[in-house]
Amino acid sequence: MKTQHELGTRERIVRTTAQLMQRQGYEATGLKQISQEARATLGSVYHFFPGGKRELAVEAVRHGAAEFAEFLRVAFEQEDDPAAAMIACTRTLAKDLRESGWLDGCPVTTTALESTGRAPEIQQAAEEAYESWRALVREKLARAGFAEDVARELAHTVINLLEGAELSAQVSQSETPLEIAGRHLAVLIDSHRGGATRPASG
Amino acid sequence: MKTQHELGTRERIVRTTAQLMQRQGYEATGLKQISQEARATLGSVYHFFPGGKRELAVEAVRHGAAEFAEFLRVAFEQEDDPAAAMIACTRTLAKDLRESGWLDGCPVTTTALESTGRAPEIQQAAEEAYESWRALVREKLARAGFAEDVARELAHTVINLLEGAELSAQVSQSETPLEIAGRHLAVLIDSHRGGATRPASG
C-alpha cells in the first residue's frame, strides 16, 4: 500500500515537472511550483529526488522522450508508406499543437537548450531522447526497404525538421511550417528510394 | 560627445544581453549580470530600457536576428547555386558552432521558446527574425530562377531544418546533423527545379 502510494507521488512529481518544463522551460520552473502543482510536499520532492531540480529535469526529459516516442509510433502507423506517414505525422503534430494553444511544443528542446554547456546530465538525457526518436524513423524506413545508411541520415533530418518546424509553428502560431515540413520530408524520402517511384510534383 | 558615449553604452548593453541570452536563455539572464558584463550601471540599464528585461530581450532578439541574417548573407554568397550554397552554409555553421564550444547556437530560439505564450512582444520579435531569414533564402532561390511559391515553401524548410539541426548538433556536440542537413537541403532544392537537373544519388 505504502509503496503503491509512493509510486503514485513520484510519478505525479515527474509528470508535473515534465509539463511545466515543456511549457516554461527549466529555469522558470521552481521546486515550489512543482510541489504545489503535483500536490506533494517539498519534503517528498527531495525524498524522491535528492539531487533537486537537475535530477528532476533529467527524469522530466526522459518522461517527455517516452511520450513523444509514443506519439511518433502512433503517428507513423497511420500510413504504411513512410513518405505518406510523414505528412500524417506533421498534420497530427500541428493539430495537437494548435489545440494546446501553441504551448505544448517539444517536451525536451527548451530544457536542453537552457542547459547546453551547463548541465551535462540533462544534455545527455536530451541526446538519448533524440536518438530514441531517430530509431523509430529508422525502423519505419527499414520496414519500407530503405538501406541502413540512407535511413540513418534521413532519421536525423526527419527529427531535426520536425523540431525546427514545431518551434516555428509555435512562434508564428500557425500550422503552415509543419504542413510544409511534412510535404518536404515526403519529397526527400521519395527522392531516396533509389530512383524508383517519385511524387508527381514537389 | 555625450550622445556618442550614450550610444556606445546602449549598444554594449544590447550586445551583452544578446550573447548572454544566446548562451543561457532569457530566464537565467538577470539585469545584474547584464550590467556587470556590459560595464554599465544598473541605473543606466534602466535609463535605456525602462521596460527592463522584457524590453531588453526584444532588442537582443533583434540584434541576434540581424547578426544571423548577416551570417546567412555571407554564407549564401559562397556559391552561386542555391543547393551548393546550403552545403557551404551548414559547413560554416557547424564550424562556428564547434569553435564556440557548442555554446553559440541560434541567437533567438532559446529566448523565443521560453517566452512562448507569456511574452507576446518577444514572440513577435522572434517571428520577425525568422521571416527576415526566410526572405534571404527566398532571394537566393529567386535569383536562381525558382518560382515564388516554391521558394516561399522551401525557405520555411531551409530555416527550420537549420534550426533543428543546429540544436541537435549542440546537444550531441557533433557536426554530423548539420552536414546531413546541408546535403538533404541540396537534394530537396534540386528536386524542386521543375524536374530538370537532379543529383545522381541522395
Side-chain angles (χ1 to χ4, degrees):
Chain A
M1 228 24 182
K2 181 86 187 303
T3 317
Q4 195 71 358
H5 173 70
E6 283 195 348
L7 189 73
T9 306
R10 189 186 189 281
E11 268 189 14
R12 227 162 48 234
I13 295 169
V14 171
R15 271 165 209 252
T16 303
T17 308
Q19 199 181 22
L20 287 171
M21 290 190 181
Q22 179 181 39
R23 295 200 166 197
Q24 60 193 32
Y26 173 78
E27 290 289 341
T29 303
L31 287 182
K32 203 176 152 191
Q33 189 185 12
I34 292 168
S35 90
Q36 279 167 350
E37 301 206 4
R39 289 168 291 115
T41 63
L42 211 50
S44 81
V45 172
Y46 277 113
H47 165 71
F48 288 112
F49 305 97
K53 199 165 97 165
R54 275 208 186 191
E55 187 183 349
L56 254 173
V58 169
E59 288 300 315
V61 165
R62 284 183 189 147
H63 179 83
E67 216 171 48
F68 191 61
E70 184 54 26
F71 168 85
L72 287 178
R73 218 172 269 123
V74 173
F76 288 170
E77 271 169 16
Q78 293 177 81
E79 299 280 352
D80 279 338
D81 179 71
M86 291 308 136
I87 292 172
C89 173
T90 50
R91 202 168 280 161
T92 315
L93 201 55
K95 187 179 143 282
D96 289 357
L97 195 57
R98 175 182 284 280
E99 284 173 3
S100 79
W102 311 104
L103 290 173
D104 293 340
C106 176
V108 170
T109 314
T110 315
T111 299
L113 275 173
E114 288 176 304
S115 60
T116 302
R118 293 189 297 160
E121 67 274 43
I122 298 176
Q123 205 168 330
Q124 174 68 22
E127 167 61 2
E128 284 165 16
Y130 294 133
E131 173 51 25
S132 72
W133 302 335
R134 288 194 295 263
L136 292 172
V137 181
R138 290 198 298 269
E139 278 166 32
K140 182 74 188 173
L141 290 167
R143 278 200 298 277
F146 281 74
E148 205 185 311
D149 56 334
V150 172
R152 194 184 311 118
E153 297 215 332
L154 283 172
H156 271 276
T157 291
V158 166
I159 297 304
N160 294 340
L161 184 53
L162 289 182
E163 287 287 339
E166 191 174 23
L167 161 64
S168 174
Q170 284 190 275
V171 165
S172 61
Q173 308 212 330
S174 153
E175 295 171 40
T176 305
L178 279 163
E179 276 167 20
I180 294 170
R183 273 183 281 126
H184 282 163
L185 286 177
V187 171
L188 191 64
I189 286 171
D190 278 331
S191 76
H192 283 83
R193 278 184 210 272
T197 47
R198 307 202 59 97
S201 82
Chain B
M1 232 18 188
K2 182 91 189 297
T3 317
Q4 194 69 357
H5 173 71
E6 281 195 353
L7 189 74
T9 307
R10 190 186 189 282
E11 268 187 16
R12 226 162 49 232
I13 294 168
V14 172
R15 270 164 209 253
T16 304
T17 308
Q19 198 180 23
L20 287 171
M21 290 189 181
Q22 179 181 38
R23 294 199 167 196
Q24 61 193 31
Y26 173 78
E27 291 291 341
T29 303
L31 288 182
K32 203 176 151 191
Q33 189 184 11
I34 290 168
S35 90
Q36 280 168 347
E37 301 208 3
R39 289 167 292 117
T41 62
L42 211 50
S44 81
V45 173
Y46 277 113
H47 166 70
F48 288 112
F49 305 97
K53 197 164 98 167
R54 275 206 187 191
E55 189 184 348
L56 254 174
V58 170
E59 289 300 315
V61 164
R62 284 183 190 147
H63 178 84
E67 215 172 50
F68 191 60
E70 185 53 29
F71 168 86
L72 288 179
R73 218 171 271 124
V74 173
F76 288 171
E77 271 169 16
Q78 293 177 81
E79 299 278 352
D80 279 337
D81 179 72
M86 292 308 138
I87 293 173
C89 174
T90 49
R91 202 167 281 160
T92 314
L93 202 56
K95 186 179 142 283
D96 288 356
L97 195 58
R98 173 183 286 279
E99 283 173 2
S100 80
W102 309 103
L103 288 174
D104 292 340
C106 176
V108 170
T109 314
T110 315
T111 299
L113 275 172
E114 288 176 302
S115 59
T116 302
R118 293 187 298 158
E121 67 276 41
I122 299 176
Q123 206 167 327
Q124 174 68 24
E127 168 59 3
E128 285 164 15
Y130 294 133
E131 174 50 26
S132 71
W133 303 335
R134 287 194 295 264
L136 293 171
V137 181
R138 289 198 299 271
E139 279 166 32
K140 181 77 187 172
L141 290 167
R143 278 199 298 276
F146 281 75
E148 205 186 309
D149 57 332
V150 172
R152 195 184 310 118
E153 298 214 331
L154 283 172
H156 271 277
T157 292
V158 166
I159 298 303
N160 294 339
L161 184 53
L162 288 184
E163 286 287 339
E166 190 173 23
L167 161 65
S168 174
Q170 284 189 274
V171 165
S172 61
Q173 309 210 329
S174 152
E175 295 172 39
T176 306
L178 279 163
E179 276 168 19
I180 295 170
R183 273 182 281 127
H184 283 163
L185 286 176
V187 171
L188 191 65
I189 285 171
D190 279 331
S191 76
H192 283 82
R193 280 185 207 270
T197 46
R198 307 202 59 96
S201 82

